[in-house]
Amino acid sequence: MSELLQDPFVQSSALPLAVSLILVGALHLLRRPLAAAGIAAGFLVVFAMVVGLPALPPPSSMGKLFWSSAIGLLLGVAADAAGLRGRAASAGLAAWLAGSLLWIALPALDSVAAVVSFAILLATAAWIAFARASQTHGSARGESPTAPAASLLALALAVGGTALIGSSASIAQMALALAASAGGFLLWNWPVERHGWGLSGRVATGIAVLLACVLTLFTQAQTAVLLLALPALLAGHVSRFVPQGHGPVGRAASSAAVTVVAVLPALVAIGAAYALTGGEASPY
C-alpha cells in the first residue's frame, strides 16, 4: 500500500479524489454549507502527505502557497458558517488573495515581465472575488455549484498540465491534486446538486490562481498559455445557454455539459503548451 501511495499518478489523482470525497461527505453531514470547504481541505491534506508540512516561516514559494491556502480555508469556513455573503465576503476574499499573491510573488518581481504577469494574476483574482455568482435557474438555494466547480477543475487542469509539460513536478502534482479534489466535489453534486458553492469554494478557485503564480514566476514553463484557460471562468454565464433538462436525467446531462464546456479552454491551453515545447512531453 505504501508503494502505491508513492506513485505520482496516485498522488495527483486517486488519492486527492478519495480524500475529497471523504471530506466533502463529512462536512456535508456536519453542516451542509461547509461542504465546498472539502476541496481546499482535501488539497491541504494531500499536500502535507505528498510534499510534507512546510516550515513556519516558509522559506519557499510552495511553503507560502500551503500556508496561504490554509488561511484562505479558515476564512472560507468562518464566512460560510456565519452565512456571510455579498460585498463583505467578496472584500475578505479579495484581501486574502491579493495579500497571498504579493507574499508569494514579491521575491520574483524583479523584471517588467514578472510585474505584468503579477498584474494579470491580480486581475484574475479580482474577477474571482467580485464576479457575480452564477445562479441556479429557479432554485431557491441560490448559487449553483456545478459551473464554478467546473471552472476550478479547468483552471487547475491547465496549471497542472502546463507544469507537467514544463517539468515542474511538484507544482504539477499539487495542481492536478486540486483538480481531483474539485472532481470529488462535482461527483457529490452529480446527478443532483446538493451543495452551494459559498466562499469556501471561491477560496479553492483562488488556490488555483496561487498555483499559477508559483508556476509563472518561479519556473521556465510556457505559462503564457494559461491565458487561454481563462474563459473557463465564464462557465457560469455559459451555463445559462445550456438547455436545462427536466427530471434527474435531464439535470444530470445539463451539469455534465456545463463541465465539458468549462474544461475545453484548459485543454486548449495544455495543447498550446505542448506545441510550444516542440511536441516533447515532460519525462516526469
Side-chain angles (χ1 to χ4, degrees):
M1 178 64 72
S2 60
E3 291 183 1
L4 181 63
L5 291 178
Q6 294 301 316
D7 184 272
F9 176 78
V10 173
Q11 291 174 342
S12 58
S13 58
L15 176 61
L17 178 63
V19 170
S20 174
L21 286 170
I22 293 169
L23 290 177
V24 171
L27 289 169
H28 169 86
L29 293 175
L30 180 64
R31 190 167 181 177
R32 184 174 293 189
L34 300 181
I39 302 173
F43 169 79
L44 290 172
V45 168
V46 173
F47 191 114
M49 292 176 66
V50 174
V51 179
L53 190 67
L56 270 175
S60 67
S61 58
M62 288 297 283
K64 292 177 180 179
L65 167 73
F66 177 89
W67 293 114
S68 294
S69 301
I71 293 170
L73 174 60
L74 292 176
L75 173 67
V77 168
D80 289 338
L84 190 63
R85 294 289 185 270
R87 293 181 180 178
S90 295
L93 178 65
W96 164 71
L97 262 176
S100 298
L101 284 170
L102 185 60
W103 187 35
I104 293 171
L106 194 57
L109 298 180
D110 53 2
S111 67
V112 174
V115 172
V116 170
S117 297
F118 181 71
I120 294 172
L121 289 164
L122 274 179
T124 304
W127 173 272
I128 292 169
F130 294 109
R132 189 174 180 180
S134 61
Q135 299 294 318
T136 305
H137 293 272
S139 173
R141 287 202 319 254
E143 188 179 1
S144 166
T146 299
S151 295
L152 167 58
L153 174 65
L155 292 181
L157 280 176
V159 174
T162 302
L164 189 64
I165 293 168
S167 299
S168 301
S170 60
I171 301 174
Q173 273 189 299
M174 291 303 98
L176 294 175
L178 181 61
S181 292
F185 179 82
L186 281 166
L187 286 176
W188 264 103
N189 287 277
W190 190 88
V192 178
E193 292 181 339
R194 295 177 173 86
H195 309 120
W197 188 237
L199 196 71
S200 296
R202 293 160 70 190
V203 164
T205 307
I207 293 174
V209 178
L210 299 183
L211 281 161
C213 178
V214 176
L215 180 66
T216 300
L217 298 178
F218 295 95
T219 75
Q220 300 301 314
Q222 299 285 352
T223 54
V225 300
L226 293 178
L227 294 172
L228 298 174
L230 290 182
L233 291 172
L234 300 174
H237 298 281
V238 173
S239 65
R240 300 172 187 173
F241 302 99
V242 175
Q244 302 298 305
H246 299 286
V249 175
R251 289 194 294 271
S254 298
S255 295
V258 170
T259 302
V260 169
V261 170
V263 169
L264 287 178
L267 299 180
V268 171
I270 294 171
Y274 184 75
L276 288 173
T277 63
E280 296 182 6
S282 166
Y284 169 67

